[in-house]
Amino acid sequence: MSNILVYIHAPDGTPTKGQRELLALAARLGEASAVLGGPADAAALSGLASAGATGFYAAAGGLDATGLIAPAVSLLEAAVRASGATAVLLPNTVEGREIAARAAVRLDAGVITDAIDVDAELTVTKPVLAGSYTVKAQVTRGPALITLKANSVELPEAAAAAGAAAPVHELELGETGPAARITATAEHAATGRPELSEARFVVAGGRGVDGDFGPVEDLADALGAAVGASRAATDAGWIDHSAQVGQTGTTVSPQLYISAGISGAIQQKAGMQTAKTIIAVNKDPDAPVFEIADLGIVGDLAQVLPQAAAEIRRRKG
Amino acid sequence: MSQNTGTPLNILVLVKHVPDVQFERHLTTPGQRLDRSDSVLSELDEYAIEAALALSESRGGDKAGNTVTAMTMGPDAAANAVKKSLQMGAAAGVHISDPALAGSDAGATSLVLATAIKQLGGFDVVLTGMASTDAETSLVPAQLAERLGVAQLTNLSKLEIAPGTTTVTGLRSGEDGTQSVEAALPVLVSVTDQANEPRYPNFRGILAAKKKKVTTLTLAELGLAEGAVGAAGSATRVLEAAPRPPRAAGQVITDSGEAGIALVDFLADAKLI
Ligand SMILES: Cc1cc2nc3c(=O)[nH]c(=O)nc-3n(C[C@H](O)[C@H](O)[C@H](O)COP(=O)(O)OP(=O)(O)OC[C@H]3O[C@@H](n4cnc5c(N)ncnc54)[C@H](O)[C@@H]3O)c2cc1C
């Protein structure tokens, strides 16, 4: 069976949904091994093993966490050479794309981003042009470096019982090349809500919330949804930039996207129009967002959202 | 200006001519190539041009010996992306154009750009946008850093070189949060749409642009073989493409006091709750 590597950005006791999707897909394509992009304790290894990893690669002496991207590229390059992997799956994040991009230069390989599926021949399905086309593409040279969008892979019902985790191959990286230094990190404030890019449900607000994200957050919490926003709302400072959905924010493909007080500009649609179901609430009947909504509600979000949140809570009892 | 501006900077900004995102965009059949009529300067590159001009101006601008050069790779019409950069304030342009370049993927594109950058030589900062609005991969900036052997400062929402220094500092939105990052020159920088507010070309800028020099480079002049670029040199291939079926027209209701309940009924019918 061919070796498939999965790049794990931050190993943790409980793998994230995105990491489990990567490992589940890798296990479907071959023998899945995890490349550890950060320190991993026994709990992290067994968590990854139960998600499908049967082997591990790590940087001997640990990965230089203050070097931007270049150390991770050296690790991935070394892991590909050591494993002879035919494919590497990475998250479709800024980091995942950049690591793949640079490793591809070193390995004389091809990269395909934004994958939503990969078949046994390593043919990749991906949306292009802001979701207006779907293409199938292949890497023709070197290992296939593929970044996978979250919410693309059906996860197995029950995780495999965690056996004893396989030993970790420690790789000597040597000089990893010029890199910018990360001198400080301001972590995103914990909201207690699902992570936007991998959430099943998203409720997003735009300029129409007029400074008050309360109704959007309330409906999100009633549904167990992540909170998103248009750039107009993040630019206004009503909510953190990390909530921005769209061309220059996060791309989401949830089961359900509720858009409230968002007009539906092309840059916003680019980040959400592959959602399974779209509901739009907007007081302007001519808002372009209604063209892509499965259910459109012409109305005031300050009325409609609280009523819906209360009704959901009532039905849940 | 009397501030200590330090050594002048040579700044190169990379720009791309792309189909206007405001119109419907098409892939051609056969071939699955992007139809490039109705193209404009990628709006995400305007932030890179603005960042380049602001960096230059922070050190005294043209008068103090700083230069901003705009470079593009693409067919004849791509010269318009350089032209707009010159109108915004870049001092000179470079246009890499060759029929053999058609169909280049990110890897092949970064090879051509890196070869040209090395040949032109002497850049302290190479600036790009965060992504092109047509391919949307964000691969080229990182690949350029790799090929040029310089540090990458990518996805920056803020960028600064303190007066008199050669250290670039910035803020980067990463997976773990907002990172403060720094590197010594020379560097590869990409900026996001949070980085600045791009200026509009004014009448003087438009007139001045007509006199600015644009150098054209071919593959032969770069010393690259045809097989190393274009579709032949790319390590990826598109097998097929299909327009996404339009979303089935949904129902639109007008709130008369009960739309919140109707929303929940819809969710229940769709088995989402
Ligand atoms: C380079 C670039 C990148 C961009 N990237 C992104 C991106 O990633 N994501 C993004 O979203 N945008 C992006 N934009 C901005 C985009 O073009 C739009 O300007 C933006 O999406 C508009 O946000 P909005 O819909 O919230 O605001 P508006 O377009 O102002 O729409 C507000 C809507 O709210 C409705 N409304 C007002 N009050 C109420 C109410 N009480 N109840 C219900 N509805 C109400 C109005 O009818 C209107 O339709 C980008 C733009 C550029 C140039």
Side-chain angles (χ1 to χ4, degrees):
Chain A
M1 235 191 334
S2 50
N3 284 326
I4 312 290
L5 296 181
V6 171
Y7 185 79
I8 302 293
H9 172 67
D12 195 7
T14 350
T16 64
K17 180 160 173 276
Q19 291 170 345
R20 284 185 286 134
E21 289 188 38
L22 288 164
L23 285 164
L25 176 59
R28 214 164 73 198
L29 299 173
E31 193 75 45
S33 292
V35 180
L36 304 169
D41 57 14
L45 296 183
S46 93
L48 293 169
S50 63
T54 58
F56 298 98
Y57 294 89
L63 196 65
D64 171 11
T66 66
L68 188 66
I69 302 296
V73 175
S74 293
L75 168 62
L76 189 64
E77 177 196 5
V80 169
R81 296 199 194 281
S83 63
T86 52
V88 182
L89 306 180
L90 304 97
N92 195 45
T93 54
V94 172
E95 285 85 356
R97 288 161 180 256
E98 292 181 341
I99 295 166
R102 297 184 58 163
V105 171
R106 296 194 195 174
L107 296 161
D108 191 23
V111 189
I112 301 177
T113 61
D114 301 290
I116 54 170
D117 194 21
V118 184
D119 74 10
E121 273 73 55
L122 299 180
T123 301
V124 178
T125 306
K126 68 174 276 186
V128 298
L129 297 176
S132 56
Y133 279 78
T134 306
V135 305
K136 289 189 189 296
Q138 262 179 346
V139 167
T140 54
R141 211 162 66 218
L145 298 160
I146 299 165
T147 66
L148 181 75
K149 286 175 76 140
N151 277 341
S152 299
V153 177
E154 198 83 51
L155 287 172
E157 284 285 313
V168 178
H169 298 270
E170 303 240 343
L171 303 166
E172 294 293 340
L173 303 188
E175 181 54 52
T176 59
R181 294 280 118 203
I182 302 167
T183 53
T185 302
E187 284 180 29
H188 299 310
T191 59
R193 300 193 180 95
E195 215 276 303
L196 181 59
S197 66
E198 51 188 51
R200 279 187 70 227
F201 295 165
V202 175
V203 183
R207 201 192 306 276
V209 309
D210 199 16
D212 180 11
F213 259 77
V216 170
E217 291 174 344
D218 184 40
L219 179 57
D221 291 340
L223 283 165
V227 170
S230 72
R231 193 176 88 167
T234 57
D235 279 357
W238 300 337
I239 185 164
D240 191 72
H241 172 64
S242 58
Q244 184 182 315
V245 171
Q247 182 197 64
T248 56
T250 301
T251 307
V252 299
S253 311
Q255 291 287 314
L256 170 68
Y257 188 91
I258 300 182
S259 159
I262 298 178
S263 58
I266 177 79
Q267 294 95 344
Q268 156 74 203
K269 286 199 292 191
M272 45 67 77
Q273 66 180 344
T274 59
K276 276 254 163 51
T277 300
I278 297 173
I279 298 180
V281 182
N282 194 303
K283 67 180 185 190
D284 173 8
D286 298 323
V289 69
F290 288 131
E291 289 162 20
I292 58 164
D294 300 289
L295 172 66
I297 296 175
V298 181
D300 183 352
L301 70 91
Q303 305 292 326
V304 177
L305 266 48
Q307 188 182 47
E311 178 67 10
I312 291 166
R313 292 199 171 98
R314 192 185 68 76
R315 293 194 195 182
K316 282 186 177 166
Chain B
M1 256 181 268
S2 59
Q3 78 208 63
N4 172 11
T5 50
T7 39
L9 294 179
N10 270 330
I11 304 168
L12 180 69
V13 54
L14 298 176
V15 295
K16 190 173 182 189
H17 199 235
V18 300
D20 193 335
V21 296
Q22 299 298 342
F23 302 128
E24 230 172 273
R25 296 174 291 174
H26 299 282
L27 296 177
T28 58
T29 27
Q32 289 96 29
R33 293 273 174 83
L34 185 58
D35 176 352
R36 296 193 167 276
S37 43
D38 295 322
S39 285
V40 294
L41 169 66
S42 171
E43 57 186 358
L44 294 177
D45 294 343
E46 293 182 16
Y47 299 89
I49 299 165
E50 178 61 39
L53 297 171
L55 258 190
S56 162
E57 287 159 4
S58 76
R59 299 169 81 89
D62 295 351
K63 285 191 196 73
N66 299 283
T67 63
V68 175
T69 306
M71 181 159 95
T72 195
M73 161 179 150
D76 290 350
N80 287 318
V82 169
K83 185 168 146 200
K84 174 119 188 243
S85 314
L86 299 178
Q87 293 175 342
M88 285 176 73
V94 180
H95 180 191
I96 308 167
S97 185
D98 200 294
L101 291 170
S104 296
D105 71 354
T109 301
S110 67
L111 173 68
V112 176
L113 294 173
T115 305
I117 293 168
K118 286 185 206 160
Q119 182 168 322
L120 296 167
F123 292 106
D124 304 296
V125 181
V126 176
L127 253 161
T128 78
M130 64 187 287
S132 61
T133 57
D134 54 354
E136 309 169 300
T137 68
S138 296
L139 296 173
V140 167
Q143 293 191 323
L144 276 174
E146 179 67 34
R147 293 189 191 275
L148 297 171
V150 300
Q152 70 170 85
L153 284 163
T154 42
N155 219 44
L156 299 190
S157 55
K158 190 162 180 259
L159 164 68
E160 212 170 52
I161 305 182
T165 75
T166 52
T167 304
V168 189
T169 56
L171 289 179
R172 163 179 163 99
S173 320
E175 199 174 335
D176 305 319
T178 304
Q179 298 166 323
S180 305
V181 288
E182 65 173 51
L185 297 172
V187 291
L188 178 293
V189 176
S190 76
V191 290
T192 73
D193 61 336
Q194 303 291 305
N196 53 48
E197 202 50 67
R199 66 193 68 184
Y200 289 101
N202 58 24
F203 185 64
R204 259 181 47 211
I206 292 169
L207 279 186
K210 298 196 163 117
K211 299 200 195 87
K212 293 175 181 171
K213 187 169 169 222
V214 178
T215 310
T216 309
L217 290 174
T218 61
L219 265 193
E221 286 166 313
L222 291 175
L224 285 168
E226 285 195 5
V229 302
S234 296
T236 56
R237 177 175 53 161
V238 174
L239 307 174
E240 55 179 80
R244 203 184 135 82
R247 296 191 76 99
Q251 86 198 92
V252 177
I253 59 172
T254 301
D255 185 25
S256 49
E258 298 288 306
I261 312 290
L263 192 160
V264 181
D265 286 339
F266 181 90
L267 293 179
D269 288 346
K271 302 213 162 31
L272 288 163
I273 51 166

